[in-house]
Amino acid sequence: MLTDTKARKCKAGDKPVSVGGVSGLRFEPSSQNGKAKFTLRFVSPETCKRRDMGLGTYPHISIAQARATALKYKALIADGIDPIDQRARDARIQEQENTIPTFATACEKVFADISPAFKNNKHKQQWINTLRSYAIPKIGNITVDQLRIADFADALRPIWLTKPETASRLKQRCERVMLWCIAQGYIEHNPVSSVSALLPKQPKKRDRVQHFPAVAWRDLPSAAKQLFQTDNMTCGKHALLFLILTAARSGEVRGATWDEIDLPNNVWSIPAHRTKTGKPHNVPLSTPALNLLKHRKPFAHEGPWVFSKSGRSPLSDMTLSKILRDAKIASDTAQRFATVHGFRSSFRDWASENGYARDLAERALAHAIKSETESAYHRTDLLEQRRDMMENWGSFALKQCIFSL
């Protein structure tokens, strides 16, 4: 077995000696102009030819380190892999990983990392599409280490004032990408954090909030009559009516399944993964809502969804909007038609002006409680207290309609 004492005694020009412990591992004494080194002589399992593989110079690489490295490569040989070729492949991969990416590449890598955490597929696509639409076309081909504050300002400027909400989200997502680049060691500081200094001041958020156009609550009975007083009550109209009666969100209604409906107890239980807040939401079903569900029950054999045209998929997100658009239902906003989401506002205004407690109305709408302290003390969903409110809301909404539900 080769020891350090023996290795130091070897002179330039001496013949290579076996290190011992690993077949083929040799110690080659230094030449006149070089250093002593370790080599592994083996027969390539891929070409069946003899090859010598350098393992480093002595004493920079110790005898023990050389043996350990040789054993690792011998294991590759036993598996039919040429260690010289494998080392070259590993080096190419490492070189690619160390290459500083363009902003476009960084965006896609960050999106791949975080996308599994998104619960809503629509929000997931919005995250990357914002970058693809506004930032990547302008700065996507620039490597992240070359990006400056002005580059991000140029990408944000076209929508900074005209689309402030989108611009704010774009800025946040650019910042998220550049923070990832810092963590990867590609850059040392985040240029997006100072980009506002190069852009005009945006209007305050409260001055730019755009509410969904809604039917004024006093006009809801006549709007319901216009929509539902017909012999042609389609699946889409049933879904829209159910949305109004429950004050639920469009996605919750369209995705409703029969296993969420408890007809004996008059409750619709929306699971956490289908709500905006990520928490389960129980909806007390009024008499009109129950009758509508009983009317839909004969279609249950066609699929799991309560509202489905074919039984193979739920209604699309445009179905309810098209019904409203075709009916040209007026809203409380001048020169704009009502939106599906606006019916939640109609319900909220009705509840406020008819003496219902704020807490009841907010629970009916499944709004998140922003205050952590307040949220900690709200352990009940006030389901039973909400029943009378939803019953009265249903009666009010359909008081001008003459049909059997």
Side-chain angles (χ1 to χ4, degrees), residues 183-205:
Q184 296 294 324
Y186 298 136
I187 58 175
E188 294 183 356
H189 72 282
N190 182 5
V192 187
S193 60
S194 303
V195 73
S196 298
L198 299 181
L199 295 166
K201 187 176 180 179
Q202 287 182 319
K204 292 182 180 179
K205 190 171 183 178

Side-chain angles (χ1 to χ4, degrees), residues 122-123 126 169 208-216 249-250 276 321 324 329-334 336-347 349 367:
K122 180 180 178 181
H123 294 164
Q126 283 177 339
R169 293 190 181 99
R208 65 175 191 253
V209 170
Q210 292 185 352
H211 297 287
F212 290 94
V215 175
R249 295 180 173 88
S250 173
K276 184 177 181 180
S321 297
L324 274 185
I329 301 296
S331 75
D332 53 2
T333 305
R336 298 186 72 182
F337 294 121
T339 62
V340 174
H341 196 82
F343 286 113
R344 286 167 58 83
S345 296
S346 304
F347 166 79
D349 292 342
H367 279 162

Side-chain angles (χ1 to χ4, degrees), residues 133-364:
S133 298
Y134 300 107
I136 291 176
K138 290 182 176 294
I139 60 176
N141 61 347
I142 304 175
T143 57
V144 294
D145 63 319
Q146 297 298 314
L147 286 169
R148 300 293 178 262
I149 300 172
D151 297 317
F152 287 100
D154 289 342
L156 288 163
R157 191 171 287 109
I159 60 171
W160 188 249
L161 296 178
T162 58
K163 298 179 179 180
E165 291 294 340
T166 302
S168 296
R169 293 190 181 99
L170 177 62
K171 178 177 177 288
Q172 292 170 1
R173 289 158 193 174
C174 287
E175 193 158 18
R176 176 68 177 81
V177 172
M178 298 305 281
L179 286 173
W180 177 86
C181 292
I182 292 175
Q184 296 294 324
Y186 298 136
I187 58 175
E188 294 183 356
H189 72 282
N190 182 5
V192 187
S193 60
S194 303
V195 73
S196 298
L198 299 181
L199 295 166
K201 187 176 180 179
Q202 287 182 319
K204 292 182 180 179
K205 190 171 183 178
R206 66 173 178 265
D207 296 330
R208 65 175 191 253
V209 170
Q210 292 185 352
H211 297 287
F212 290 94
V215 175
W217 72 267
R218 289 184 176 83
D219 296 334
L220 181 62
S222 60
K225 180 179 180 181
Q226 184 179 344
L227 283 165
F228 307 121
Q229 190 68 49
T230 174
D231 294 331
N232 183 28
M233 280 293 285
T234 62
C235 177
K237 287 190 175 183
H238 279 152
L240 181 59
L241 177 54
F242 190 71
L243 178 145
I244 294 172
L245 294 172
T246 58
R249 295 180 173 88
S250 173
E252 295 168 347
V253 170
R254 290 183 290 102
T257 55
W258 285 109
D259 60 2
E260 297 173 1
I261 306 295
D262 183 356
L263 288 176
N265 292 307
N266 304 350
V267 177
W268 171 29
S269 298
I270 310 173
H273 69 273
R274 290 211 314 107
T275 66
K276 184 177 181 180
T277 61
K279 297 179 181 179
H281 177 51
N282 294 317
V283 181
L285 297 171
S286 63
T287 300
L290 282 169
N291 290 336
L292 188 153
L293 289 172
K294 291 174 183 177
H295 185 78
R296 295 293 308 168
K297 195 63 177 174
F299 301 97
H301 69 280
E302 297 180 358
W305 296 282
V306 177
F307 304 103
S308 174
K309 293 179 180 178
S310 63
R312 293 188 295 272
S313 62
L315 294 174
S316 72
D317 58 352
M318 289 304 297
T319 301
L320 307 189
S321 297
K322 185 176 186 303
I323 293 172
L324 274 185
R325 185 172 64 247
D326 291 347
K328 297 182 179 179
I329 301 296
S331 75
D332 53 2
T333 305
Q335 298 179 343
R336 298 186 72 182
F337 294 121
T339 62
V340 174
H341 196 82
F343 286 113
R344 286 167 58 83
S345 296
S346 304
F347 166 79
R348 187 65 181 86
D349 292 342
W350 171 85
S352 294
E353 298 198 29
N354 283 271
Y356 291 99
R358 173 185 178 276
D359 207 19
L360 283 181
E362 290 295 294
R363 291 306 178 90

